[in-house]
Amino acid sequence: MLKFTVKRVLSAIPVLLVILILVFSLMRMIPGNPMYSLQADSNMTEEELIMMQEKYGLNGSIFEQFFRYLKNIVKGDWGTSFFNGKPVFENIFSRMEPTILITVFATLISLLLGVPIGIYAATHHNSKLDYILSSTSMIFTIVPSFCFGVGLLYLFAFKLKWFPLSSYEYIEKGGFWNSIWHIFLPSLAIGLSGMAGYARHTRSQMLDVLNSDYIRTARAKGLSDRKVYYRHALRNVMSFLITMVSGTITVNLGGATVLEKVFNIQGVGLLSYSSLFGKDYPQEQAILIFFAVIFVFTNILLDIVYKLLDPRVQLD
Amino acid sequence: MEKISTAKKIRVFIKHNGRIIIGGTLVFLMIMMAFFAPLLTKYDPNGTDIYSRFEGPSQEHFLGTDGSGTDLWSQIVYGARASLLIAFIAQIFTMAIGATLGLVCGFFPKVDKVVMRILEAINSLPTILLIFVLGMVFGSSYFNLILTLVIAGLFGPTRYVRAQVLSLRQKEFVEREVAMGAGTLRIMWMHVLPQCSSYLLVTLGSGLSSKIMSLASMSFLGVGLPSGVPNWGTLISSGQSVLMMYPYLVFYPMLALAITIFGFSMLGDGLRDLFDPTTN
């Protein structure tokens, strides 16, 4: 198990390095130079411009810049934002609470709604309710999650006034449930979009498992339906669900960034859009790498859980 | 042998291919709408008329007008053009390039290492953020927009085709072909591609709907399409600022988006059932 974990963590290093190169070069490929717009705004002289470039590590060729960036990262310095001069990760950490909450909560909603629907649909295969559940959950996949967001915002916040219109309040300020109340609608929008996928895949996996020999054996032993479903069938569906969660995390993280715009929640998503428009290189690089690292490490974690559940798994 | 009446044949066909029929009809209607846009509306999708701002649905304006007096129906009808055209082209290129990359990766381990690491890196970023960044990098033009969507969608088809190559290369009949002196190209063309074609076909529907969604999200966030090109994402985005007063400005573009995506998913599901009997 330890060997597996170490191997899995080590295998993430090349990917992380490629992400670093990719993100760095993508940012430099965006047309325009952040310093020139700064210069135009504040009537800087040529010398001041060069000084500023040196201060922010924008002098020299792109390779020099990259290796300087890499060297600083190794030292633990990810750079400072061009805009507020704070270390980039300080900015991210101060704003990541709503983004993470939305992502986690949305994933929970899709899981907690989708999986039971899928199980029910599979165990009552071809019944009327199976059709109704399968087709209603499909409705939620036909518009992007931000459309649901706008719809929910209109219905529940504007019209019914059940949920707040004001933007996010931090846990520190109003407590955990108050924060959940503020992010409920965006999470629901993302969660419902993801629900159908879970329902559909749980249903088809469950049906596959229910047709297998060992389930027939279990039934032949005289086990009740309940025991067959929950003790034998569901356990095999579990490992599949874990793979699905790992895919959902990035989708939901991306969804959260868009929903932040719909609900005007000042999270990492809005920060990333504003730093992109403002060409705040260090800030945007840090955000993209932060997201990628979340993805890579969730995957490692899920792989380990997967291995614990199903010891047959081998790394390719 | 009992003769099966034509009516029964049609009934059976509809029963088994209901989704293809519904999806196909919706997609066909949308394509027709995009194609014959000028015939369906007399208004310019970019024309402004300050005397008729925020008018509700009327005989003059079928779905009402927006904040600059532009007819909403004309914007929706013309909006179908950009969405469908870009989604189609982007999806076809995604599949073609993805399949080619997958083949190359499967056969050449050295290329494989580099390409797969890059694609994994791309895949580890949230898609919506990635297309946003790429949209900023490439700027607003049709070509660049398609390029953005293709890059963001490459991972899936490449990984699938690559996996197919790797598993097929172990098979005896391929080994026999190799022993008989078949070149890599011949094996790719004669043995691997046919195995992947049903996958590529069944992902066409879902791929197209995801492209349309990505496009809508991009324009909602304000990147991608050149300004002035009517499209649903931009309509929703601009409608959201006056959501409280004029919800219909958001509702109708969303409906158009929903109908299109519904059509494509139905068609895709139907095709999957038709061509891939193993799925339930």
Side-chain angles (χ1 to χ4, degrees):
Chain A
M1 199 59 222
L2 187 70
K3 202 179 150 203
F4 178 87
T5 313
V6 171
K7 227 170 141 184
R8 188 63 190 81
V9 172
L10 286 180
S11 75
I13 291 173
V15 177
L16 285 175
L17 200 65
V18 175
I19 290 170
L20 218 58
I21 297 171
L22 187 82
V23 165
F24 186 87
S25 35
L26 274 179
M27 289 310 294
R28 305 299 144 134
M29 278 155 72
I30 294 178
N33 183 323
M35 286 302 132
Y36 291 149
S37 50
L38 207 66
Q39 186 192 26
D41 285 347
S42 56
N43 301 320
M44 273 191 291
T45 60
E46 208 54 33
E47 288 87 56
E48 280 174 321
L49 182 75
I50 294 169
M51 256 173 62
M52 285 295 269
Q53 281 187 332
E54 258 167 41
K55 186 181 164 200
Y56 287 111
L58 290 170
N59 53 331
S61 74
I62 183 129
F63 294 105
E64 281 170 29
Q65 288 183 30
F66 181 70
F67 285 111
R68 203 178 314 129
Y69 183 61
L70 216 55
K71 217 162 79 187
N72 286 339
I73 288 178
V74 174
K75 281 191 264 172
D77 172 19
W78 288 81
T80 50
S81 162
F82 290 169
F83 285 94
N84 61 12
K86 285 185 189 161
V88 284
F89 269 94
E90 197 175 296
N91 284 332
I92 293 178
F93 289 138
S94 73
R95 293 177 67 162
M96 75 174 190
E97 191 185 291
T99 314
I100 301 288
L101 265 186
I102 293 176
T103 309
V104 171
F105 202 52
T107 312
L108 280 179
I109 290 177
S110 343
L111 262 174
L112 294 180
L113 289 176
V115 175
I117 289 179
I119 294 175
Y120 185 88
T123 51
H124 298 76
H125 182 42
N126 280 345
S127 69
K128 248 193 197 121
L129 205 57
D130 173 18
Y131 283 117
I132 294 171
L133 285 174
S134 304
S135 42
T136 35
S137 61
M138 200 192 143
I139 291 176
F140 295 108
T141 58
I142 59 172
V143 279
S145 53
F146 76 86
C147 287
F148 273 120
V150 176
L152 292 173
L153 179 73
Y154 179 72
L155 196 63
F156 293 109
F158 282 159
K159 284 281 151 185
L160 296 171
K161 298 193 168 54
W162 291 354
F163 291 93
L165 279 171
S166 61
S167 76
Y168 183 72
E169 276 176 20
Y170 280 83
I171 295 179
E172 221 171 53
K173 198 179 156 204
F176 181 69
W177 293 110
N178 183 46
S179 295
I180 290 289
W181 188 49
H182 278 83
I183 56 118
F184 185 77
L185 290 180
S187 315
L188 190 66
I190 304 171
L192 287 178
S193 303
M195 175 189 83
Y198 279 97
R200 189 179 186 167
H201 287 105
T202 309
R203 177 176 178 275
S204 67
Q205 284 288 316
M206 193 84 175
L207 280 176
D208 267 5
V209 172
L210 286 179
N211 284 328
S212 56
D213 291 338
Y214 72 92
I215 292 291
R216 202 177 324 134
T217 316
R219 280 191 203 280
K221 280 198 306 192
L223 287 187
S224 65
D225 272 357
R226 254 191 116 72
K227 272 196 175 148
V228 171
Y229 294 150
Y230 294 104
R231 188 168 295 171
H232 292 274
L234 197 58
R235 183 166 292 185
N236 276 284
V237 178
M238 280 294 277
S239 53
F240 164 80
L241 284 176
I242 287 167
T243 359
M244 233 189 128
V245 172
S246 81
T248 322
I249 296 275
T250 33
V251 174
N252 287 358
L253 211 50
T257 64
V258 187
L259 266 293
E260 275 170 23
K261 185 167 185 273
V262 175
F263 285 83
N264 192 26
I265 291 170
Q266 296 294 324
V268 186
L270 278 191
L271 181 66
S272 89
Y273 294 125
S274 65
S275 356
L276 255 178
F277 276 126
K279 299 184 194 69
D280 191 346
Y281 295 158
Q283 185 65 69
E284 186 61 29
Q285 279 158 203
I287 292 172
L288 290 175
I289 290 165
F290 175 67
F291 281 152
V293 166
I294 290 182
F295 175 76
V296 169
F297 280 94
T298 344
N299 268 334
I300 294 178
L301 202 70
L302 289 171
D303 273 356
I304 294 169
V305 176
Y306 199 100
K307 172 92 177 167
L308 285 174
L309 277 177
D310 188 349
R312 286 168 301 179
V313 176
Q314 296 272 316
L315 278 179
D316 52 12
Chain B
M1 208 175 103
E2 199 189 344
K3 197 166 175 280
I4 302 168
S5 70
T6 324
K8 190 173 178 196
K9 267 188 196 161
I10 291 173
R11 252 204 326 273
V12 170
F13 182 78
I14 290 177
K15 198 181 164 205
H16 286 284
N17 301 296
R19 285 193 272 195
I20 296 184
I21 294 168
I22 297 173
T25 315
L26 289 177
V27 169
F28 179 75
L29 285 177
M30 277 294 162
I31 293 173
M32 286 296 115
M33 190 167 108
F35 199 73
F36 294 110
L39 299 178
L40 291 171
T41 172
K42 57 182 180 181
Y43 295 99
D44 177 2
N46 290 318
T48 51
D49 178 5
I50 49 164
Y51 295 108
S52 56
R53 297 174 68 222
F54 294 123
E55 266 180 22
S58 62
Q59 272 191 325
E60 280 284 291
H61 298 284
F62 177 43
L63 298 177
T65 59
D66 72 2
S68 39
T70 314
D71 182 59
L72 185 60
W73 169 243
S74 76
Q75 294 191 65
I76 289 177
V77 170
Y78 277 95
R81 289 188 159 183
S83 304
L84 292 178
L85 192 68
I86 291 175
F88 267 116
I89 300 176
Q91 183 57 24
I92 286 166
F93 274 101
T94 307
M95 294 194 319
I97 298 175
T100 317
L101 269 182
L103 286 174
V104 171
C105 285
F107 280 103
F108 304 104
K110 272 186 192 149
V111 184
D112 180 45
K113 280 209 179 82
V114 179
V115 173
M116 284 319 280
R117 284 302 92 73
I118 294 175
L119 287 182
E120 273 165 27
I122 289 178
N123 187 51
S124 66
L125 296 169
T127 316
I128 181 72
L129 262 179
L130 176 74
I131 55 176
F132 193 84
V133 175
L134 290 174
M136 291 282 292
V137 170
F138 294 138
S140 316
S141 79
Y142 286 107
F143 176 79
N144 293 336
L145 191 52
I146 290 166
L147 191 65
T148 301
L149 291 173
V150 169
I151 293 177
L154 271 182
F155 186 69
T158 307
R159 189 177 52 176
Y160 180 85
V161 174
R162 174 180 173 270
Q164 283 291 324
V165 175
L166 293 181
S167 85
L168 281 171
R169 283 180 76 184
Q170 313 278 325
K171 295 266 161 67
E172 281 90 358
F173 75 94
V174 175
E175 278 176 7
R176 193 200 63 162
E177 285 274 312
V178 176
M180 282 168 69
T184 310
L185 268 178
R186 187 185 156 81
I187 292 172
M188 280 182 185
W189 187 251
M190 296 289 289
H191 298 291
V192 182
L193 265 188
Q195 297 279 343
C196 302
S197 58
S198 78
Y199 165 83
L200 293 175
L201 189 70
V202 299
T203 51
L204 187 68
S206 60
L208 277 169
S209 28
S210 85
K211 292 280 183 298
I212 291 172
M213 283 203 200
S214 303
L215 192 63
S217 311
M218 271 175 102
S219 358
F220 179 75
L221 294 168
V223 285
L225 278 169
S227 60
V229 177
N231 79 88
W232 302 329
T234 318
L235 280 177
I236 297 170
S237 158
S238 56
Q240 206 212 331
S241 53
V242 287
L243 181 66
M244 192 115 75
M245 306 283 283
Y246 310 102
Y248 66 91
L249 286 177
V250 169
F251 178 73
Y252 292 117
M254 275 190 200
L255 193 65
L257 195 59
I259 291 173
T260 314
I261 296 173
F262 180 70
F264 278 120
S265 343
M266 280 305 230
L267 191 63
D269 282 2
L271 287 175
R272 191 191 55 209
D273 289 351
L274 198 66
F275 287 97
D276 192 358
T278 54
T279 56
N280 201 288

